[in-house]
Amino acid sequence: MAGKTLDVNKKKEHRLSRRLTVDTQEPYINIRPIIKKADKEAAYTLSEAYADNILLNWITGAIKEDSKKAVIYQDIFKVLIRTSASESREFAIQMNGCKGVLLWSEGHSEVLSVGNVMGKRRLWGTLGGIATMRATLVHHRHLAKMKKVIMAGRDHLSVNFIGVLPAERGHHVGTHLLKYVLKKADEVQLPVFAEIWGNKYLGWFQKFGFEVKAEKNLSDKEQICIYYVVREPQTSSETATINTPEDLMTALHLEPPREDSFASIQE
């Protein structure tokens, strides 16, 4: 009996030892698509990450109450998450229980911006009407135009939104998410396009090889400067021939769209 008890204790110690080793020496990194049940949690992560963002504050300027603005931000990001997942479930990813979230796309997809919530009448009614709609359209048009000019028809990937919970910053969550997409781009030898709102995080993107190709001031009054950056593929390898958007999706080995996303974005 004593021998069996000793064996059980050894097994417990072994399991505990493995758990401690994973947590302290090899941090657990789990990046996976956002499932429908996690939409709300992922939207909360992005809304917290973008809470003080100059562009979103400009767009939602008519809303002064912070709690109301937070709810609106979550609604906006919920739509954007589902729009991303309608192309491929892998275009909306999260790390370790939505500590960080990233929305990305291939270059032939429609531009993903706050303008994608234009069809949500309930949401636009809450946002404050014409002024907000105008600000959103101005931004969406500039993004589409600058992306078209800068990429000049080249196949590419786009990083659309990336956010980390404030309490998780400094733990490389954003780095792991961004590297996930950059690795995909390097595997198929494609550049990556991104739009950066303000200069707060410009240096962070530049650490990963992004270079500023253009900048635009959307509002002289609010001093909203947008940077358009591109990262060229960093490694050379044999890649599949890409002639069509379908070829690109195949080369990226992406998972299919989330089945619920088509209905969700029409709600």
Side-chain angles (χ1 to χ4, degrees), residues 29-228:
I29 300 169
N30 184 10
I31 296 176
R32 62 174 57 190
I34 299 168
I35 61 173
K36 182 181 179 180
K37 291 182 179 179
D39 279 354
K40 186 176 181 180
E41 187 177 0
Y44 173 79
T45 296
L46 287 174
S47 66
E48 285 289 293
Y50 284 83
D52 298 320
N53 183 268
I54 56 171
L55 181 61
L56 278 185
N57 283 338
W58 176 58
I59 288 173
T60 59
I63 303 172
K64 303 302 180 185
E65 188 179 333
D66 289 341
S67 58
K68 185 177 181 180
K69 186 173 287 190
V71 172
I72 295 300
Y73 280 15
Q74 289 181 52
D75 284 344
I76 289 173
F77 284 117
K78 207 178 296 181
V79 174
L80 293 173
I81 287 167
R82 292 170 179 174
T83 301
S84 296
S86 69
E87 292 283 334
S88 165
R89 65 187 67 192
E90 208 167 330
F91 284 157
I93 57 176
Q94 57 86 12
M95 176 176 160
N96 292 8
C98 292
K99 290 181 179 180
V101 172
L102 188 149
L103 308 182
W104 62 291
S105 60
E106 55 88 17
H108 297 286
S109 299
E110 180 186 353
V111 171
L112 186 70
S113 76
V114 180
N116 289 92
V117 302
M118 286 290 291
K120 306 288 283 187
R121 294 182 181 179
R122 175 187 61 79
L123 185 55
W124 278 112
T126 309
L127 279 173
I130 304 264
T132 299
M133 185 176 294
R134 180 180 179 280
T136 304
L137 287 174
V138 166
H139 166 248
H140 189 84
R141 283 199 300 264
H142 277 299
L143 173 56
K145 179 181 177 181
M146 295 306 295
K147 184 177 180 181
K148 182 178 181 180
V149 170
I150 292 169
M151 300 315 299
R154 298 173 65 194
D155 290 319
H156 65 281
L157 305 183
S158 293
V159 171
N160 301 309
F161 295 91
I162 180 169
V164 177
L165 287 171
E168 300 298 333
R169 290 172 186 168
H171 298 157
H172 309 295
V173 175
T175 295
H176 289 302
L177 286 167
L178 185 57
K179 283 185 174 180
Y180 176 90
V181 176
L182 299 185
K183 183 175 182 291
K184 290 272 190 185
D186 288 343
E187 287 173 353
V188 292
Q189 285 292 279
L190 290 182
V192 181
F193 172 89
E195 178 195 49
I196 303 174
W197 302 348
N199 59 13
K200 186 176 181 180
Y201 297 107
L202 179 59
W204 185 75
F205 275 88
Q206 289 174 324
K207 287 195 305 184
F208 297 96
F210 284 88
E211 297 181 0
V212 176
K213 298 299 181 181
E215 58 184 85
K216 177 74 177 179
N217 195 351
L218 286 186
S219 171
D220 293 329
K221 182 179 178 181
E222 303 293 336
Q223 294 185 339
I224 301 174
C225 189
I226 308 297
Y227 298 92
Y228 304 94

Side-chain angles (χ1 to χ4, degrees), residues 188 245-254:
V188 292
E246 290 75 21
D247 291 339
L248 178 53
M249 296 290 275
T250 301
L252 288 169
H253 305 293
L254 294 174

